[in-house]
Amino acid sequence: MSGGEFNSWQTVQAEVLRRINAREWKPGDFIPNEAELSIEFGCARATVNRALRNLADSGLLDRRRKAGTRVALHPVRKATLDIPVIRYEIEGKGQTYRHIVLSRQMGIPPSGIRARLQTEPGVKLLHLVTLHLADGKPYVFGDRWINPEAVPGIETADLTAKSANEWLVLNIPFEGGDFSFSAMTAGQREAEILACKEGEGLFVIDRSTWNKTHVITSVRLTFAPGYRMHTEI
């Protein structure tokens, strides 16, 4: 392939993959840096960067700051996790969606939430508790904290017409996030909100998102019994 054919990050990625699969670049080998590859391929360094980042995200390359990029010794296929709009998820199952704001107030978060959102002691955040329903039955409830400094307009936004989940996904860009998954047994609060029995098993997602300067939001989603999560690799 000649340099003129590397006019997109996809073609650069395809050539890097070819070299890995042909063992021209073997597991553990360091590959040329972005500047060298951009000269070889006759394309912008940003194009090479996008291709290598995508391959690193897929687990085929190991990229370390200042140490360079090498072919992964033990490639691991990574699952792709998106932040779903719960309304779309419910309507995609052919069910009718509705959501209720159970409480909304500015307040000082507990220490664990403050640490997660990296805010100073005494700073008030927006605290929302919401319930999402499918065909009128509880589907998931969210206990969410939002940093107003990271989300202009959130204090006056109508979060009854559109849930905070949907409003944030549609209006606030983010650069990173993390998920953790766990199981719990329903206590009195969960049983009342999700209309289930105390002691039933529940699936829980804790999720935070951030941009360059702030952690935007942290939410705990507790699903009604029987929920199943689907993702792709």
Side-chain angles (χ1 to χ4, degrees), residues 109-121 123 125 147 149 178 208-218:
S111 58
I113 297 296
R114 180 173 63 80
R116 188 177 298 174
L117 271 76
Q118 300 174 18
T119 55
E120 296 297 324
V123 173
L125 306 177
N147 183 355
E149 289 188 16
D178 59 32
S208 299
T209 54
W210 54 78
N211 57 28
K212 287 182 179 179
T213 57
H214 296 90
V215 179
I216 298 167
T217 183
S218 181

mmCIF file of all heavy atoms in Angstrom, residues 109-121 123 125 147 149 178 208-218:
data_model
loop_
_atom_site.group_PDB
_atom_site.id
_atom_site.type_symbol
_atom_site.label_atom_id
_atom_site.label_comp_id
_atom_site.label_asym_id
_atom_site.label_seq_id
_atom_site.Cartn_x
_atom_site.Cartn_y
_atom_site.Cartn_z
ATOM 1 N N PRO A 109 -22.970 16.446 49.886
ATOM 2 C CA PRO A 109 -22.943 14.994 49.725
ATOM 3 C C PRO A 109 -22.203 14.294 50.853
ATOM 4 O O PRO A 109 -21.366 14.908 51.529
ATOM 5 C CB PRO A 109 -22.199 14.812 48.392
ATOM 6 C CG PRO A 109 -21.276 15.985 48.332
ATOM 7 C CD PRO A 109 -22.045 17.127 48.960
ATOM 8 N N PRO A 110 -22.482 13.010 51.055
ATOM 9 C CA PRO A 110 -21.679 12.246 52.009
ATOM 10 C C PRO A 110 -20.239 12.153 51.534
ATOM 11 O O PRO A 110 -19.935 12.371 50.350
ATOM 12 C CB PRO A 110 -22.361 10.872 52.026
ATOM 13 C CG PRO A 110 -23.182 10.811 50.791
ATOM 14 C CD PRO A 110 -23.554 12.220 50.446
ATOM 15 N N SER A 111 -19.342 11.812 52.436
ATOM 16 C CA SER A 111 -17.908 11.864 52.132
ATOM 17 C C SER A 111 -17.524 10.974 50.948
ATOM 18 O O SER A 111 -16.664 11.340 50.148
ATOM 19 C CB SER A 111 -17.094 11.474 53.369
ATOM 20 O OG SER A 111 -17.447 10.170 53.810
ATOM 21 N N GLY A 112 -18.154 9.810 50.818
ATOM 22 C CA GLY A 112 -17.823 8.924 49.707
ATOM 23 C C GLY A 112 -18.161 9.533 48.363
ATOM 24 O O GLY A 112 -17.388 9.416 47.400
ATOM 25 N N ILE A 113 -19.308 10.197 48.280
ATOM 26 C CA ILE A 113 -19.712 10.863 47.035
ATOM 27 C C ILE A 113 -18.812 12.060 46.769
ATOM 28 O O ILE A 113 -18.389 12.314 45.634
ATOM 29 C CB ILE A 113 -21.191 11.297 47.106
ATOM 30 C CG1 ILE A 113 -22.110 10.078 47.243
ATOM 31 C CG2 ILE A 113 -21.568 12.128 45.890
ATOM 32 C CD1 ILE A 113 -22.099 9.139 46.057
ATOM 33 N N ARG A 114 -18.507 12.822 47.823
ATOM 34 C CA ARG A 114 -17.626 13.987 47.649
ATOM 35 C C ARG A 114 -16.262 13.554 47.120
ATOM 36 O O ARG A 114 -15.694 14.201 46.239
ATOM 37 C CB ARG A 114 -17.469 14.730 48.986
ATOM 38 C CG ARG A 114 -16.570 15.961 48.875
ATOM 39 C CD ARG A 114 -16.581 16.759 50.168
ATOM 40 N NE ARG A 114 -16.043 16.005 51.295
ATOM 41 C CZ ARG A 114 -14.738 15.848 51.519
ATOM 42 N NH1 ARG A 114 -13.846 16.354 50.687
ATOM 43 N NH2 ARG A 114 -14.328 15.158 52.570
ATOM 44 N N ALA A 115 -15.747 12.440 47.618
ATOM 45 C CA ALA A 115 -14.459 11.943 47.144
ATOM 46 C C ALA A 115 -14.555 11.520 45.681
ATOM 47 O O ALA A 115 -13.650 11.773 44.889
ATOM 48 C CB ALA A 115 -14.003 10.773 48.002
ATOM 49 N N ARG A 116 -15.660 10.899 45.323
ATOM 50 C CA ARG A 116 -15.820 10.437 43.942
ATOM 51 C C ARG A 116 -15.937 11.616 42.982
ATOM 52 O O ARG A 116 -15.410 11.582 41.879
ATOM 53 C CB ARG A 116 -17.050 9.542 43.835
ATOM 54 C CG ARG A 116 -17.195 8.861 42.478
ATOM 55 C CD ARG A 116 -18.385 7.923 42.453
ATOM 56 N NE ARG A 116 -18.242 6.844 43.419
ATOM 57 C CZ ARG A 116 -19.192 5.962 43.685
ATOM 58 N NH1 ARG A 116 -20.361 6.051 43.074
ATOM 59 N NH2 ARG A 116 -18.983 5.001 44.548
ATOM 60 N N LEU A 117 -16.653 12.664 43.402
ATOM 61 C CA LEU A 117 -16.823 13.831 42.540
ATOM 62 C C LEU A 117 -15.703 14.851 42.703
ATOM 63 O O LEU A 117 -15.671 15.846 41.999
ATOM 64 C CB LEU A 117 -18.179 14.501 42.782
ATOM 65 C CG LEU A 117 -19.307 13.945 41.900
ATOM 66 C CD1 LEU A 117 -19.785 12.598 42.414
ATOM 67 C CD2 LEU A 117 -20.460 14.910 41.780
ATOM 68 N N GLN A 118 -14.787 14.604 43.642
ATOM 69 C CA GLN A 118 -13.604 15.435 43.832
ATOM 70 C C GLN A 118 -13.967 16.904 44.072
ATOM 71 O O GLN A 118 -13.393 17.813 43.467
ATOM 72 C CB GLN A 118 -12.669 15.294 42.626
ATOM 73 C CG GLN A 118 -12.195 13.863 42.410
ATOM 74 C CD GLN A 118 -11.391 13.681 41.140
ATOM 75 O OE1 GLN A 118 -10.890 14.644 40.563
ATOM 76 N NE2 GLN A 118 -11.268 12.443 40.688
ATOM 77 N N THR A 119 -14.915 17.116 44.972
ATOM 78 C CA THR A 119 -15.314 18.480 45.322
ATOM 79 C C THR A 119 -14.819 18.814 46.726
ATOM 80 O O THR A 119 -14.506 17.924 47.517
ATOM 81 C CB THR A 119 -16.846 18.637 45.264
ATOM 82 O OG1 THR A 119 -17.462 17.652 46.099
ATOM 83 C CG2 THR A 119 -17.343 18.479 43.836
ATOM 84 N N GLU A 120 -14.775 20.095 47.020
ATOM 85 C CA GLU A 120 -14.289 20.551 48.316
ATOM 86 C C GLU A 120 -15.359 20.349 49.397
ATOM 87 O O GLU A 120 -16.561 20.351 49.094
ATOM 88 C CB GLU A 120 -13.911 22.035 48.245
ATOM 89 C CG GLU A 120 -12.746 22.338 47.304
ATOM 90 C CD GLU A 120 -11.453 21.678 47.750
ATOM 91 O OE1 GLU A 120 -11.230 21.608 48.986
ATOM 92 O OE2 GLU A 120 -10.683 21.225 46.894
ATOM 93 N N PRO A 121 -14.938 20.195 50.643
ATOM 94 C CA PRO A 121 -15.915 20.064 51.737
ATOM 95 C C PRO A 121 -16.856 21.271 51.781
ATOM 96 O O PRO A 121 -16.429 22.407 51.584
ATOM 97 C CB PRO A 121 -15.036 20.006 52.990
ATOM 98 C CG PRO A 121 -13.707 19.508 52.503
ATOM 99 C CD PRO A 121 -13.544 20.078 51.129
ATOM 100 N N VAL A 123 -19.227 22.060 49.693
ATOM 101 C CA VAL A 123 -19.804 22.438 48.392
ATOM 102 C C VAL A 123 -21.094 21.660 48.162
ATOM 103 O O VAL A 123 -21.121 20.426 48.288
ATOM 104 C CB VAL A 123 -18.811 22.172 47.247
ATOM 105 C CG1 VAL A 123 -19.470 22.398 45.886
ATOM 106 C CG2 VAL A 123 -17.586 23.066 47.396
ATOM 107 N N LEU A 125 -24.116 20.039 46.014
ATOM 108 C CA LEU A 125 -24.339 19.417 44.713
ATOM 109 C C LEU A 125 -25.824 19.132 44.559
ATOM 110 O O LEU A 125 -26.581 19.112 45.529
ATOM 111 C CB LEU A 125 -23.543 18.111 44.608
ATOM 112 C CG LEU A 125 -22.047 18.178 44.897
ATOM 113 C CD1 LEU A 125 -21.439 16.776 44.824
ATOM 114 C CD2 LEU A 125 -21.337 19.112 43.935
ATOM 115 N N ASN A 147 -22.542 17.684 39.750
ATOM 116 C CA ASN A 147 -21.766 18.873 40.086
ATOM 117 C C ASN A 147 -22.224 20.032 39.191
ATOM 118 O O ASN A 147 -21.946 20.037 37.989
ATOM 119 C CB ASN A 147 -20.286 18.602 39.875
ATOM 120 C CG ASN A 147 -19.415 19.785 40.288
ATOM 121 O OD1 ASN A 147 -19.919 20.856 40.651
ATOM 122 N ND2 ASN A 147 -18.104 19.598 40.242
ATOM 123 N N GLU A 149 -21.078 22.932 38.739
ATOM 124 C CA GLU A 149 -19.986 23.625 38.067
ATOM 125 C C GLU A 149 -19.637 22.952 36.733
ATOM 126 O O GLU A 149 -19.139 23.599 35.823
ATOM 127 C CB GLU A 149 -18.747 23.660 38.958
ATOM 128 C CG GLU A 149 -18.879 24.597 40.154
ATOM 129 C CD GLU A 149 -17.551 24.744 40.883
ATOM 130 O OE1 GLU A 149 -16.505 24.391 40.301
ATOM 131 O OE2 GLU A 149 -17.567 25.229 42.030
ATOM 132 N N ASP A 178 -16.297 5.622 34.503
ATOM 133 C CA ASP A 178 -16.056 4.270 34.989
ATOM 134 C C ASP A 178 -17.364 3.646 35.457
ATOM 135 O O ASP A 178 -18.323 4.341 35.792
ATOM 136 C CB ASP A 178 -14.996 4.231 36.089
ATOM 137 C CG ASP A 178 -15.337 5.080 37.308
ATOM 138 O OD1 ASP A 178 -16.540 5.212 37.620
ATOM 139 O OD2 ASP A 178 -14.423 5.591 37.953
ATOM 140 N N SER A 208 -19.677 6.848 37.092
ATOM 141 C CA SER A 208 -19.278 8.253 37.136
ATOM 142 C C SER A 208 -18.776 8.658 35.764
ATOM 143 O O SER A 208 -18.222 7.830 35.026
ATOM 144 C CB SER A 208 -18.168 8.472 38.172
ATOM 145 O OG SER A 208 -18.590 8.121 39.468
ATOM 146 N N THR A 209 -18.957 9.925 35.406
ATOM 147 C CA THR A 209 -18.416 10.458 34.150
ATOM 148 C C THR A 209 -17.714 11.771 34.438
ATOM 149 O O THR A 209 -18.046 12.483 35.388
ATOM 150 C CB THR A 209 -19.517 10.685 33.090
ATOM 151 O OG1 THR A 209 -20.556 11.518 33.650
ATOM 152 C CG2 THR A 209 -20.124 9.368 32.640
ATOM 153 N N TRP A 210 -16.731 12.104 33.585
ATOM 154 C CA TRP A 210 -15.965 13.330 33.802
ATOM 155 C C TRP A 210 -15.521 13.936 32.479
ATOM 156 O O TRP A 210 -15.536 13.293 31.430
ATOM 157 C CB TRP A 210 -14.749 13.049 34.681
ATOM 158 C CG TRP A 210 -13.863 11.934 34.190
ATOM 159 C CD1 TRP A 210 -12.936 11.974 33.186
ATOM 160 C CD2 TRP A 210 -13.841 10.581 34.672
ATOM 161 N NE1 TRP A 210 -12.328 10.757 33.028
ATOM 162 C CE2 TRP A 210 -12.859 9.881 33.926
ATOM 163 C CE3 TRP A 210 -14.544 9.900 35.666
ATOM 164 C CZ2 TRP A 210 -12.587 8.528 34.157
ATOM 165 C CZ3 TRP A 210 -14.263 8.565 35.890
ATOM 166 C CH2 TRP A 210 -13.287 7.896 35.134
ATOM 167 N N ASN A 211 -15.108 15.212 32.566
ATOM 168 C CA ASN A 211 -14.462 15.898 31.452
ATOM 169 C C ASN A 211 -13.062 16.299 31.906
ATOM 170 O O ASN A 211 -12.565 15.798 32.912
ATOM 171 C CB ASN A 211 -15.297 17.091 30.965
ATOM 172 C CG ASN A 211 -15.580 18.098 32.067
ATOM 173 O OD1 ASN A 211 -14.814 18.239 33.024
ATOM 174 N ND2 ASN A 211 -16.686 18.817 31.951
ATOM 175 N N LYS A 212 -12.421 17.209 31.187
ATOM 176 C CA LYS A 212 -11.040 17.561 31.519
ATOM 177 C C LYS A 212 -10.892 18.208 32.881
ATOM 178 O O LYS A 212 -9.845 18.092 33.522
ATOM 179 C CB LYS A 212 -10.477 18.511 30.446
ATOM 180 C CG LYS A 212 -10.166 17.846 29.112
ATOM 181 C CD LYS A 212 -9.576 18.840 28.145
ATOM 182 C CE LYS A 212 -9.234 18.180 26.813
ATOM 183 N NZ LYS A 212 -8.682 19.142 25.830
ATOM 184 N N THR A 213 -11.923 18.896 33.333
ATOM 185 C CA THR A 213 -11.782 19.693 34.546
ATOM 186 C C THR A 213 -12.605 19.222 35.736
ATOM 187 O O THR A 213 -12.289 19.554 36.872
ATOM 188 C CB THR A 213 -12.156 21.163 34.255
ATOM 189 O OG1 THR A 213 -13.498 21.212 33.737
ATOM 190 C CG2 THR A 213 -11.202 21.773 33.243
ATOM 191 N N HIS A 214 -13.677 18.464 35.509
ATOM 192 C CA HIS A 214 -14.565 18.090 36.599
ATOM 193 C C HIS A 214 -15.076 16.656 36.443
ATOM 194 O O HIS A 214 -15.172 16.147 35.321
ATOM 195 C CB HIS A 214 -15.812 18.995 36.652
ATOM 196 C CG HIS A 214 -15.534 20.424 36.947
ATOM 197 N ND1 HIS A 214 -15.297 21.365 35.954
ATOM 198 C CD2 HIS A 214 -15.470 21.100 38.127
ATOM 199 C CE1 HIS A 214 -15.104 22.549 36.522
ATOM 200 N NE2 HIS A 214 -15.200 22.414 37.828
ATOM 201 N N VAL A 215 -15.426 16.054 37.569
ATOM 202 C CA VAL A 215 -16.293 14.880 37.528
ATOM 203 C C VAL A 215 -17.712 15.431 37.413
ATOM 204 O O VAL A 215 -18.133 16.281 38.199
ATOM 205 C CB VAL A 215 -16.148 14.014 38.790
ATOM 206 C CG1 VAL A 215 -17.094 12.816 38.715
ATOM 207 C CG2 VAL A 215 -14.707 13.541 38.934
ATOM 208 N N ILE A 216 -18.436 14.990 36.402
ATOM 209 C CA ILE A 216 -19.743 15.566 36.084
ATOM 210 C C ILE A 216 -20.832 15.040 37.005
ATOM 211 O O ILE A 216 -21.594 15.794 37.598
ATOM 212 C CB ILE A 216 -20.102 15.269 34.614
ATOM 213 C CG1 ILE A 216 -19.078 15.904 33.676
ATOM 214 C CG2 ILE A 216 -21.510 15.761 34.284
ATOM 215 C CD1 ILE A 216 -19.161 15.401 32.241
ATOM 216 N N THR A 217 -20.916 13.727 37.100
ATOM 217 C CA THR A 217 -22.004 13.120 37.851
ATOM 218 C C THR A 217 -21.594 11.741 38.345
ATOM 219 O O THR A 217 -20.724 11.092 37.764
ATOM 220 C CB THR A 217 -23.279 13.010 36.979
ATOM 221 O OG1 THR A 217 -24.357 12.479 37.761
ATOM 222 C CG2 THR A 217 -23.068 12.113 35.775
ATOM 223 N N SER A 218 -22.236 11.334 39.414
ATOM 224 C CA SER A 218 -22.077 9.976 39.927
ATOM 225 C C SER A 218 -23.467 9.453 40.241
ATOM 226 O O SER A 218 -24.260 10.141 40.904
ATOM 227 C CB SER A 218 -21.204 9.969 41.181
ATOM 228 O OG SER A 218 -21.041 8.652 41.670
#
